[in-house]
Amino acid sequence: MEQRRGGFGGVIFAIMAIALIGYLAFAALQGEYGLFRLFQVEAQETRLGQELETLREQRAALAGKTERLSSGHIDPDLLEEQGRRILGLGRADEIIIR
């Protein structure tokens, strides 16, 4: 009895194994849940975190202005500033620049 060494079946098996490994490597890097997508999501998370912090700061500033203009606590300087800005008014000795 003669033993086969490798032959056509071995070549097919090697090609299939290489193709499978190549597909899995491609999916691990480029797939929907791959490494490159992970980097994109992390970059987006960082950007959105910075945007959230900016929005929180703006919200806090607006909350402070709202409190100073509320009926329980009116800041006369802020009220005058807002009135002048909105109405475009000034005193006789002032120059208004827009």
Side-chain angles (χ1 to χ4, degrees), residues 21-41:
I21 290 170
Y23 172 76
L24 293 175
F26 176 79
L29 294 175
Q30 299 272 348
E32 185 177 350
Y33 300 104
L35 197 56
F36 293 138
R37 179 69 178 141
L38 175 66
F39 294 148
Q40 288 175 342
V41 169

Side-chain angles (χ1 to χ4, degrees), residues 6-84:
F8 189 66
V11 171
I12 298 266
F13 176 76
I15 290 173
M16 293 294 282
I18 291 171
L20 180 63
I21 290 170
Y23 172 76
L24 293 175
F26 176 79
L29 294 175
Q30 299 272 348
E32 185 177 350
Y33 300 104
L35 197 56
F36 293 138
R37 179 69 178 141
L38 175 66
F39 294 148
Q40 288 175 342
V41 169
E42 287 176 349
Q44 183 179 18
E45 179 186 18
T46 302
R47 182 181 51 81
L48 290 175
Q50 292 169 348
E51 185 178 339
L52 177 63
E53 187 59 35
T54 301
L55 290 173
R56 283 183 176 158
E57 291 171 0
Q58 291 175 356
R59 181 177 175 236
L62 288 174
K65 276 189 177 182
T66 302
E67 183 180 333
R68 288 185 288 162
L69 290 173
S70 67
S71 61
H73 178 272
I74 295 179
D75 183 1
D77 293 333
L78 182 61
L79 185 60
E80 180 184 2
E81 176 190 333
Q82 293 295 323
R84 288 166 165 251

